[in-house]
């Protein structure tokens, strides 16, 4: 099975789900009969049928939601569009969606010959390849993928943002460098030879990284457990974060909006305040750490102690 949130220009997000039922068509038909009865009893929804790309599509139009604008008559009240639930069965697959245009987009790509299909998307292909397990032929139990910019556009459309608001937000992304963040995805394998679960995740950033993304640089380093970590721990993890680059990135972005030296002035003032901690964030904190952060977890051996795992965070 697969589930997705689909975004098309000018439309809010649409939900869609696909399930390959194999030889269980009778079970699927019974479930659809129960759904039909539940939705159409007492005229809760109107059932219609349509043909899209040669396939019969069943559409349920749900009653309009009541407007919740309070007693303020000065505001124009928007009449919400009625919601829909629609589905079709093709071959051995049941496809359900919240909009018929999403079903049409799926049906036009059914044979995989369309010029624009998800499987050919460069970011998705790269993530799927890099996040495969040791057995390259094995299909992961779970594959996930998200397009952050597309998600923002869809959520804004869903929230009713107008063209001016959308243009402002989307125009801000390049100055923050977030337009380079093309995708996030990964895989999950369960019941492997050595582990209960193995997960792999990857951020797909179009080079060169810029803006906010420069704050998250993790130079390669051999992060073996230090001597103070005992062999009895239940969890160990470590990262090597370029803290100096992160600070410079934050300072540059802040100064871009508020003027050259704006952040340095705030940091200096905080360090000089009589009733403050007398700590200079740049000199006394950022310049003193290497960026290696260690996370250790352990379960208490004392039966009378608080249950659960406890964690220690070490900053070098």
């Amino acid at each position: 099975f697969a589930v997705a949130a689909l975004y098309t220009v000018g439309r809010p997000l649409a939900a869609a789900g696909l399930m390959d039922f194999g030889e269980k068509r009778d079970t699927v038909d019974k479930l659809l009969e129960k759904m039909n009865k539940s939705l159409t009893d007492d005229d809760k929804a109107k059932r219609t049928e349509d043909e899209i790309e040669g396939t019969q599509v069943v559409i349920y139009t749900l009653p309009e939601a009541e407007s919740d604008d309070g007693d303020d008559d000065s505001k124009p009240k928007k009449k919400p569009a009625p919601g829909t639930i629609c589905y079709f069965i093709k071959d051995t697959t049941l496809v359900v969606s919240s909009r018929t245009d999403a079903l049409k987009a799926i049906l036009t790509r059914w044979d995989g010959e369309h010029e624009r299909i998800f499987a050919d998307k460069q970011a998705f292909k790269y993530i799927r390849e890099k996040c495969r397990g040791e057995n390259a032929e094995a299909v992961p139990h779970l594959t996930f993928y998200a397009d952050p910019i597309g998600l923002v556009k869809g959520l804004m459309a869903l929230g009713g943002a107008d063209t001016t608001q959308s243009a402002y937000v989307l125009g801000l992304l390049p100055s923050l460098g977030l337009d380079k963040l093309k995708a996030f995805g990964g895989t999950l394998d369960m019941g492997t030879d050595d582990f209960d679960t193995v997960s792999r995740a990857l951020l797909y950033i179009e080079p060169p990284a810029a803006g906010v993304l420069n704050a998250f640089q993790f130079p390669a380093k051999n992060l073996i457990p230090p001597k103070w970590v005992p062999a009895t721990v239940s969890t160990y993890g470590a990262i090597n974060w370029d803290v100096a680059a992160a600070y410079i990135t934050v300072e540059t972005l802040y100064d871009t909006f508020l003027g050259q030296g704006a952040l340095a002035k705030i940091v200096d003032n905080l360090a000089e305040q009589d009733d403050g901690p007398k700590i200079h964030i740049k000199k006394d904190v950022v310049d003193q750490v290497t960026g290696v952060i260690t996370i250790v977890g352990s379960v208490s051996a004392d039966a009378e102690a608080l249950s659960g795992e406890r964690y220690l965070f070490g900053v070098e």
Side-chain angles (χ1 to χ4, degrees), residues 127-231:
I127 289 174
R128 183 177 58 182
E129 179 64 29
K130 293 296 181 182
C131 292
R132 282 189 180 277
E134 294 178 0
N135 182 2
E137 301 299 322
V139 178
H141 291 100
L142 173 68
T143 300
F144 58 94
Y145 176 92
D147 172 3
I149 296 177
L151 193 60
V152 169
K153 291 178 180 178
L155 289 173
M156 290 183 66
L158 192 64
D162 58 32
T163 305
T164 304
Q165 291 172 323
S166 299
Y168 175 76
V169 172
L170 296 177
L172 198 61
L173 294 180
S175 61
L176 296 175
L178 294 178
D179 59 321
K180 301 285 187 179
L181 181 56
K182 298 300 182 181
F184 171 71
T187 61
L188 175 70
D189 289 289
M190 296 178 285
T192 66
D193 293 339
D194 299 316
F195 303 100
D196 291 334
T197 61
V198 177
S199 60
R200 299 174 174 86
L202 190 145
L203 274 172
Y204 187 96
I205 300 172
E206 188 178 81
V212 174
L213 299 179
N214 274 329
F216 302 98
Q217 297 186 38
F218 304 95
K221 185 175 183 178
N222 189 4
L223 296 172
I224 59 174
K227 292 180 179 180
W228 57 264
V229 177

Side-chain angles (χ1 to χ4, degrees), residues 62-69 75-83:
L62 306 176
E64 296 175 357
E66 294 183 4
S67 178
D68 187 21
D69 291 331
K75 295 180 180 179
K77 296 182 179 180
K78 295 181 180 179
K79 191 174 182 180

Side-chain angles (χ1 to χ4, degrees), residues 28-183:
V28 171
D29 287 339
K30 290 177 183 177
L31 290 172
L32 292 175
E33 286 176 14
K34 286 187 72 173
M35 183 181 76
N36 179 72
K37 187 174 186 306
S38 175
L39 288 173
T40 56
D41 276 359
D42 302 323
D43 296 326
K44 285 183 287 188
K46 180 182 178 182
R47 184 184 192 275
T48 57
E49 295 183 9
D50 195 5
E51 186 173 298
I52 300 176
E53 300 291 325
T55 300
Q56 185 186 47
V57 175
V58 178
I59 306 164
Y60 295 95
T61 304
L62 306 176
E64 296 175 357
E66 294 183 4
S67 178
D68 187 21
D69 291 331
D71 299 325
D72 189 356
D73 295 329
S74 63
K75 295 180 180 179
K77 296 182 179 180
K78 295 181 180 179
K79 191 174 182 180
T84 58
I85 298 175
C86 44
Y87 74 87
F88 68 80
I89 292 178
K90 191 174 178 67
D91 303 329
T92 60
T93 303
L94 168 68
V95 183
V96 184
S97 181
S98 59
R99 288 212 314 268
T100 54
D101 61 308
L103 293 187
K104 183 176 181 180
I106 293 170
L107 281 168
T108 56
R109 292 162 172 79
W110 196 260
D111 59 3
E113 299 299 325
H114 194 277
E115 61 182 10
R116 293 184 63 194
I117 61 173
F118 180 64
D120 286 343
K121 193 173 182 68
Q122 177 60 32
F124 174 70
K125 290 167 65 176
Y126 185 87
I127 289 174
R128 183 177 58 182
E129 179 64 29
K130 293 296 181 182
C131 292
R132 282 189 180 277
E134 294 178 0
N135 182 2
E137 301 299 322
V139 178
H141 291 100
L142 173 68
T143 300
F144 58 94
Y145 176 92
D147 172 3
I149 296 177
L151 193 60
V152 169
K153 291 178 180 178
L155 289 173
M156 290 183 66
L158 192 64
D162 58 32
T163 305
T164 304
Q165 291 172 323
S166 299
Y168 175 76
V169 172
L170 296 177
L172 198 61
L173 294 180
S175 61
L176 296 175
L178 294 178
D179 59 321
K180 301 285 187 179
L181 181 56
K182 298 300 182 181

